[in-house]
Amino acid sequence: MHELSLCESLLEIIEEQARVHHYRRVRTVWLEVGRFAGVECDALRFSFEIVVCESLANGAKLEIIDIPGCGWCFDCGAEVLLEDCFEICPRCGGTVQITSGKEFRLKELEVE
Amino acid sequence: MCNVCGCGQDAMAIGTHPNEHVPHQHDHEQHPEACEEHGHHHGTEPQQGRERDAGHHDYGATPARAHAPGLSQARMVRIERDILSKNQALATENRRYFAARGIFALNLLSSPGAGKTTLLVRTIAALGGQFPMAVIEGDQQTTEDADRIRQAGVAALQINTGKGCHLDAHMAGRAARSLGLQRQSLLFIENVGNLVCPASFDLGEAHKVVILSVTEGDNKPLKYPDMFQVAEVLLLNKVDLLPYVDFNVEHASAAARRLNPGIEILPVSTTRGDGMEQWIAWLFQRRADFLHRLSAKTAIGR
Ligand SMILES: Nc1nc2c(ncn2[C@@H]2O[C@H](COP(=O)(O)OP(=O)(O)O)[C@@H](O)[C@H]2O)c(=O)[nH]1
Ligand SMILES: [Mg+2]
Ligand SMILES: [Zn+2]
Ligand SMILES: [Zn+2]
Ligand SMILES: [Zn+2]
């Protein structure tokens, strides 16, 4: 399962940052997850619990911040909100360049 | 140590990880003790903008408790790191490694059984040793594919990812380095059969090649958009089976172009040989462009 390896990468960053910011325990993890990040939130929560259970983030709460899909139309310049990443411009039918929605980012931690 | 392949002891491989420690350079490294001491300054002050009047310090919004003896201090730490940033940094390093040696690398993506290995075997035969070649084979379990490539007369390295569902830049970089690639090689990387996440893991390749076989259905592009968005070329494979399956080439092509207007689409049959000249021509053209860009860059660098 893909979310499992993503959680391993996430834990790696959390462990690295522990040396930088001198924390011993993580209580809450804020993750930004874009609509088109290809990440399934239920699978993510499930994997997170498994991956962190023997680490400094054991029992940490996972807070997911949803990032909507946005795009910019090449043809008419409109900024549009996207449901799907292959949508055409609702104003002119033009090709839309995705400007947000692919995020998968560790934003902030609550630590001690 | 690396969580992906556990190669922590390999000092050489570690040395090739760029940026592994760079983002950590931060003032606190210089004074860790001091930092322990004033740890609470980072997070337990009232939030800015909440102190609307001097007589009101709102601690309610922050998780930290005041200095109650025996209670630990919680604080907030801003990180702002892409989860895939580490992979990206390693991919950039691989790309530099390839560029320095004129190695043209292609990353092959498809669902299991779409025909990646068959395509490679046929391509190796068609190129007939015109330039040095090597193959990295990604698979969860077996080593069959690497054996098929070696039988075709080309060096191959098998990576078994176990439960891992994609190759990452770290695995690909180690594999490439241990293959001892000659200058100006053509390197094929056959990714793990999976239409989802290999799209998000840059390996440092020049281009991604996506293979869709006509037995999979012409709505695949819209179901798995990422793969088709990141690829430079789409090979529609197994066209010899078109008379027997319900697959509309026009529908599939239109869907792929909707996702990626610039994508090149080549119908092929890697068993019967249809479309192989076009594919080989694409390879030659893109490799020549790649080498040309490199020499232009070094000329500017001089
Ligand atoms: N009919 C037909 N079968 C093909 C073609 N290309 C591959 N195959 C078959 O599809 C199966 C899977 O091919 P393989 O190259 O191992 O797929 P991979 O998993 O993507 O590497 C094999 O049995 C191939 O013989 C093709 O163009 N036409
Ligand atoms: Mg294969
Ligand atoms: Zn428009
Ligand atoms: Zn490793
Ligand atoms: Zn994966």
Side-chain angles (χ1 to χ4, degrees):
Chain A
M1 185 169 48
H2 179 51
E3 281 75 9
L4 208 57
S5 54
L6 290 177
C7 286
E8 281 165 2
S9 303
L10 169 62
L11 180 60
E12 245 180 77
I13 297 177
I14 291 176
E15 286 175 340
E16 264 174 31
Q17 295 291 317
R19 296 193 286 276
V20 180
H21 293 284
H22 313 291
Y23 52 81
R24 280 177 293 268
R25 220 170 83 76
V26 176
R27 286 188 183 182
T28 315
V29 175
W30 280 268
L31 267 188
E32 280 182 346
V33 180
R35 188 180 176 92
F36 314 134
V39 176
E40 225 276 279
C41 288
D42 288 337
L44 190 69
R45 289 184 188 286
F46 177 77
S47 308
F48 180 76
E49 224 172 277
I50 296 172
V51 167
V52 303
C53 74
E54 283 179 358
S55 75
L56 77 177
N58 180 26
K61 205 158 91 196
L62 182 61
E63 296 281 1
I64 294 176
I65 306 164
D66 290 314
I67 308 288
C70 293
W72 177 81
C73 174
F74 276 117
D75 299 327
C76 75
E79 288 234 40
V80 293
L81 203 64
L82 300 170
E83 285 291 316
D84 287 307
C85 58
F86 48 83
E87 256 174 59
I88 50 173
C89 173
R91 283 206 348 208
C92 77
T95 308
V96 175
Q97 162 91 55
I98 294 176
T99 51
S100 87
K102 297 242 174 198
E103 295 79 359
F104 187 47
R105 204 171 162 71
L106 171 55
K107 185 108 188 120
E108 207 167 3
L109 297 172
E110 181 193 358
V111 299
E112 52 189 66
Chain B
M1 187 186 88
C2 165
N3 272 352
V4 180
C5 72
C7 70
Q9 294 96 319
D10 187 343
M12 195 200 74
I14 297 262
T16 62
H17 290 197
N19 296 339
E20 188 122 71
H21 299 284
V22 177
H24 308 183
Q25 271 154 21
H26 170 280
D27 290 348
H28 290 176
E29 302 272 59
Q30 268 76 49
H31 59 117
E33 334 71 31
C35 185
E36 289 280 333
E37 294 243 333
H38 70 239
H40 58 276
H41 281 182
H42 299 307
T44 60
E45 285 157 337
Q47 285 187 342
Q48 293 227 333
R50 289 196 149 264
E51 250 177 291
R52 262 177 247 105
D53 61 82
H56 178 206
H57 285 185
D58 185 0
Y59 286 85
T62 63
R65 280 163 289 216
H67 294 247
L71 284 182
S72 57
Q73 294 284 305
R75 61 194 160 99
M76 304 296 291
V77 186
R78 268 221 174 288
I79 309 286
E80 301 285 359
R81 286 270 306 267
D82 286 333
I83 307 304
L84 296 177
S85 58
K86 207 160 177 174
N87 186 74
Q88 201 51 58
L90 291 169
T92 302
E93 184 60 26
N94 292 348
R95 196 161 276 121
R96 231 177 266 142
Y97 179 89
F98 296 144
R101 291 158 184 77
I103 296 166
F104 181 59
L106 295 176
N107 183 0
L108 274 64
L109 315 169
S110 83
S111 357
K116 299 181 294 300
T117 312
T118 314
L119 172 75
L120 290 180
V121 169
R122 185 121 199 169
T123 304
I124 290 165
L127 290 173
Q130 293 180 61
F131 26 75
M133 275 184 274
V135 176
I136 295 171
E137 283 290 346
D139 194 280
Q140 292 192 304
Q141 309 283 349
T142 73
T143 60
E144 244 169 71
D145 286 353
D147 297 340
R148 282 166 71 190
I149 299 295
R150 287 188 202 109
Q151 271 162 27
V154 161
L157 193 141
Q158 181 79 52
I159 302 175
N160 284 129
T161 56
K163 66 179 161 55
C165 43
H166 57 265
L167 292 178
D168 64 34
H170 177 81
M171 299 171 183
R174 288 195 81 201
R177 283 165 182 81
S178 67
L179 271 167
L181 300 169
Q182 293 178 48
R183 299 188 78 81
Q184 312 241 315
S185 287
L186 178 52
L187 174 65
F188 293 105
I189 306 171
E190 179 177 334
N191 218 309
V192 178
N194 172 351
L195 271 181
V196 185
C197 51
S200 330
F201 288 79
D202 186 1
L203 305 180
E205 71 278 336
H207 302 294
K208 291 185 175 72
V209 175
V210 64
I211 298 154
L212 173 65
S213 72
V214 304
T215 54
E216 296 175 71
D218 50 25
N219 59 349
K220 266 269 163 88
L222 296 183
K223 276 188 172 160
Y224 300 94
D226 291 7
M227 211 56 105
F228 297 86
Q229 278 171 333
V230 297
E232 207 74 27
V233 60
L234 161 62
L235 299 184
L236 281 179
N237 190 29
K238 309 196 188 179
V239 294
D240 56 297
L241 299 179
L242 275 176
Y244 315 104
V245 295
D246 182 21
F247 185 96
N248 186 320
V249 173
E250 289 313 308
H251 284 177
S253 306
R257 290 219 172 83
R258 203 164 133 204
L259 293 166
N260 180 353
I263 197 166
E264 203 148 335
I265 302 174
L266 306 175
V268 299
S269 165
T270 58
T271 49
R272 204 170 63 182
D274 313 40
M276 288 311 282
E277 308 92 86
Q278 284 84 348
W279 159 242
I280 298 293
W282 182 89
L283 262 181
F284 270 93
Q285 186 59 54
R286 293 310 171 106
R287 180 170 177 269
D289 293 347
F290 170 78
L291 292 174
H292 181 79
R293 277 199 305 276
L294 286 184
S295 59
K297 240 183 233 165
T298 32
I300 291 164
R302 245 180 250 132

